Amino acid sequence: MNPEVNEDKSSLYNKVVEGKAQVYFHKTKNEVFYNPIQEFNRDLSISVMNTYSNVNNNKKLKILEALAASGIRSMRYALEIENIEEILANDFDQKAVDLIEENKKLNKVESLVKSNCDDATLLMNSMSRNWKSKFDCIDLDPYGTPAAFLDSAIRAIRSGGLLLITATDAGVLCGNGADTCFTKYGSVSLRTPACHELALRILLQSINSHAARYSKYIVPVLSLSIDFYFRIFVLVYDGQMKAKESINDIGFFHVCPECHTFYQQNYGKTVPTRGNVKFVFDSTSPYDLNKCQNCEGTLKLVGPVWTGKLHDKIFIQHLLKYLNTKTTDDFKTRERMIGMCNLAYEELDNPLYYILDDICSVMHCETPNHNVMRSAIMNCNYQVSYSHCAKNSIKTNAPSEVLWDILKRWVELKPVKEKWMGPEYRLARILKTQPKIQVDFSIRSDCTPESKKNNLLRYQEPPPFWGPGSKPKRKAEDEENSKQQNEKNQKVIEELK
Ligand SMILES: [Zn+2]
């Protein structure tokens, strides 16, 4: 036990109240810190785990918080999840574990929460020996990438268990550092308007690949892009056949860097043969993938990614039912949770999306009202939804040709300025192909989704002080080191004068 903690606590700690928990944080800057922006993440995790327990006959949960820091999650889980068998709050840093012990006393949850000081991967691997030691829920909430913890987490989870994973390395996953993305996740990212959904799909692909090597498979229940990070909830099951079949949910995208059209390519598909279901490799490209079909741009390869479903709609229904029984006293971020879960529920299962302003700027045309565009797609007998990832998104099961044909018809109504029509511009290449379909732009009464009609909090602007926070110590050390280095350099320069 750290002797410091027996002294007057107010001189050492700040006390924060969140949900039903009170939590001490070190006063010293860059020690284990409190990030209020993550309250949404914690509220959502509590709601998802309560729902998970409810749909499994009020199963008592054995939970691991693998990278617990102050233990704020574990305190809240102990106080706010209805069916708890045990919570193990682990951290590599003894100071953090001492703080967890203090927080356990403060919240009177000593009987539910155990603390542990170990490397998370060693702990999870050692707990993977038998069913009893494994966990129903494992929460990975690292600073930055969860990549190093995925393998051991997959091993330490019970069949049917729930993995909760945060990734804050949004830059890497969204295409700034495709090479780093490849080393962490075995997949290449790309900066495109749909990069936030691509990031979720890269993460899911990586989780699936770890699961598959242990003959396990994943079922994503909720995969969200939130502010500056990603949060994924997946069920992990044992099953060799299903693990093999997961190849059906893995593929690539060929993305045009000029007009942002994307072309999906899977490894294969499952076909029924003589009463059995059989997977056939069919990686023949359905397109001429040298050039973009729309603008003749040179395509870029992204992936491999998860092309299967991002969410389980039935689970989301249960989750929304649960949230309806709660108030903003229970969860400060309740309205946002309901808004975002409704968006996820309404989302089409078709991968990726376009951004309306973006495709209109490709066409150099006036941007139609969202409802006009949505109605036009629906009038062509295709479905359309928003993506929870982006405000102005168009997610559709219409092929990209149809979408571009709609815009070509739109510019017939709203002509583009003459100067963009010259042969040196991309638009000339796009307009070379005549639209094949007629388009009805009349507004439909059913073009507005329920979440919008009901005025839910659908897209919350990030708060002004948003950001993942700094990794404790590291940043201060780095700053100190670089300050010292600068001073040394300055001396060398002065001596040389
Ligand atoms: Zn293109």
Side-chain angles (χ1 to χ4, degrees):
M1 176 66 65
N2 185 339
E4 282 175 343
V5 293
N6 292 324
E7 293 170 18
D8 175 22
K9 290 187 182 67
S10 64
S11 66
L12 289 168
Y13 301 123
N14 286 323
K15 196 155 79 174
V16 172
V17 178
E18 188 187 287
K20 288 188 181 154
Q22 311 170 63
V23 184
Y24 287 132
F25 284 88
H26 287 288
K27 271 194 169 166
T28 358
K29 231 180 154 193
N30 290 310
E31 289 284 353
V32 175
F33 70 98
Y34 172 69
N35 187 348
I37 309 304
Q38 290 270 12
E39 184 168 359
F40 179 76
N41 185 332
R42 292 184 278 264
D43 283 357
L44 189 65
S45 305
I46 291 164
S47 305
V48 167
M49 280 192 272
N50 269 323
T51 305
Y52 169 72
S53 167
N54 293 345
V55 298
N56 287 291
N57 302 317
N58 298 322
K59 178 185 190 163
K60 285 202 161 214
L61 306 179
K62 186 182 175 199
I63 300 171
L64 170 65
E65 191 190 1
L67 310 140
S70 67
I72 183 168
R73 281 169 187 268
S74 293
M75 301 308 134
R76 290 198 59 192
Y77 294 170
L79 295 166
E80 298 173 59
I81 293 176
E82 287 144 32
N83 299 301
I84 296 282
E85 181 189 310
E86 182 190 283
I87 299 169
L88 185 58
N90 176 71
D91 201 280
F92 189 55
D93 181 354
Q94 185 58 48
K95 265 192 181 170
V97 176
D98 292 341
L99 190 56
I100 293 168
E101 282 300 317
E102 284 300 315
N103 283 325
K104 274 168 59 180
K105 278 186 241 157
L106 181 66
N107 290 283
K108 302 186 173 61
V109 293
E110 292 99 322
S111 61
L112 288 176
V113 181
K114 274 189 194 163
S115 70
N116 186 64
C117 187
D118 205 347
D119 175 291
T121 56
L122 294 179
L123 170 71
M124 290 190 284
N125 279 328
S126 73
M127 299 300 264
S128 69
R129 286 194 195 102
N130 58 60
W131 184 88
K132 207 171 175 318
S133 61
K134 288 183 184 183
F135 300 90
D136 297 300
C137 303
I138 298 180
D139 191 345
L140 296 176
D141 187 55
Y143 303 102
T145 174
F149 307 105
L150 295 179
D151 201 78
S152 44
I154 288 284
R155 294 187 67 192
I157 195 123
R158 289 173 178 166
S159 184
L162 177 72
L163 260 185
L164 306 88
I165 298 168
T166 305
T168 61
D169 54 339
V172 167
L173 285 161
C174 291
N176 299 335
D179 47 355
T180 310
C181 191
F182 183 72
T183 62
K184 301 285 179 209
Y185 302 104
S187 179
V188 172
S189 57
L190 182 72
R191 189 105 190 110
T192 93
C195 64
H196 289 94
E197 188 180 314
L198 271 172
L200 289 169
R201 294 182 177 281
I202 287 170
L203 275 167
L204 285 167
Q205 179 276 141
S206 182
I207 301 165
N208 178 71
S209 78
H210 286 288
R213 68 194 63 167
Y214 298 108
S215 297
K216 296 177 180 217
Y217 65 96
I218 62 165
V219 177
V221 291
L222 191 61
S223 312
L224 296 179
S225 163
I226 307 160
D227 302 335
F228 55 86
Y229 63 92
F230 302 96
R231 183 70 165 161
I232 284 180
F233 304 90
V234 285
L235 298 172
V236 182
Y237 293 93
D238 293 342
Q240 198 178 26
M241 268 314 287
K242 290 262 189 170
K244 284 187 185 174
E245 284 170 18
S246 73
I247 197 169
N248 296 322
D249 291 318
I250 303 293
F252 294 87
F253 284 98
H254 302 263
V255 182
C256 175
E258 292 196 45
C259 73
H260 305 139
T261 302
F262 49 83
Y263 303 89
Q264 183 178 337
Q265 161 111 56
N266 271 39
Y267 280 112
K269 57 189 172 198
T270 307
V271 287
T273 48
R274 289 189 211 127
N276 291 319
V277 173
K278 194 186 166 200
F279 173 77
V280 287
F281 279 100
D282 180 20
S283 49
T284 337
S285 162
Y287 317 100
D288 170 7
L289 288 174
N290 280 324
K291 295 270 174 231
C292 171
Q293 313 275 294
N294 181 46
C295 79
E296 300 175 6
T298 306
L299 297 174
K300 294 205 178 232
L301 185 65
V302 185
V305 296
W306 175 263
T307 55
K309 292 178 183 177
L310 293 181
H311 321 290
D312 178 342
K313 301 288 169 83
I314 293 170
F315 187 90
I316 298 178
Q317 277 180 323
H318 287 293
L319 178 57
L320 284 167
K321 226 187 267 175
Y322 166 84
L323 289 172
N324 280 331
T325 66
K326 300 290 164 189
T327 66
T328 41
D329 288 336
D330 299 311
F331 297 117
K332 245 202 257 164
T333 69
R334 176 182 177 269
E335 303 310 315
R336 190 183 187 195
M337 285 199 278
I338 290 177
M340 213 181 232
C341 290
N342 269 285
L343 274 172
Y345 181 75
E346 287 168 354
E347 238 173 51
L348 291 178
D349 289 327
N350 301 75
L352 307 195
Y353 51 85
Y354 294 91
I355 300 289
L356 186 54
D357 298 315
D358 178 66
I359 47 178
C360 290
S361 86
V362 167
M363 295 293 280
H364 297 285
C365 68
E366 189 181 303
T367 306
N369 178 290
H370 230 279
N371 284 347
V372 171
M373 191 64 193
R374 292 171 63 90
S375 297
I377 294 170
M378 291 168 86
N379 289 336
C380 294
N381 291 320
Y382 291 102
Q383 292 171 292
V384 62
S385 77
Y386 286 87
S387 157
H388 78 277
C389 299
K391 212 175 181 177
N392 247 334
S393 48
I394 301 265
K395 205 180 226 305
T396 177
N397 62 347
S400 60
E401 305 91 89
V402 170
L403 197 73
W404 291 111
D405 276 3
I406 290 172
L407 285 173
K408 286 175 191 175
R409 293 296 184 198
W410 173 250
V411 298
E412 288 174 2
L413 299 172
K414 304 272 178 185
V416 174
K417 282 187 188 140
E418 200 63 40
K419 66 169 183 176
W420 298 115
M421 305 292 271
E424 70 274 33
Y425 291 110
R426 182 173 50 218
L427 190 56
R429 300 199 302 269
I430 295 175
L431 293 177
K432 236 170 35 187
T433 324
Q434 288 293 312
K436 293 188 189 73
I437 52 167
Q438 292 302 321
V439 179
D440 174 4
F441 284 100
S442 44
I443 301 255
R444 298 166 63 110
S445 58
D446 58 349
C447 74
T448 313
E450 290 296 311
S451 63
K452 199 170 184 179
K453 269 193 218 159
N454 296 331
N455 223 356
L456 300 179
L457 178 55
R458 298 161 77 238
Y459 299 98
Q460 187 173 57
E461 295 299 323
F465 47 93
W466 71 307
S470 57
K471 192 169 181 169
K473 287 184 190 166
R474 178 67 61 78
K475 201 179 166 196
E477 275 172 16
D478 286 352
E479 276 169 7
E480 191 50 42
N481 288 343
S482 85
K483 206 175 126 193
Q484 284 171 5
Q485 190 61 50
N486 282 343
E487 282 166 5
K488 271 187 207 161
N489 290 346
Q490 203 58 41
K491 268 185 198 160
V492 172
I493 291 167
E494 271 160 25
E495 278 165 20
L496 285 173
K497 273 182 188 168

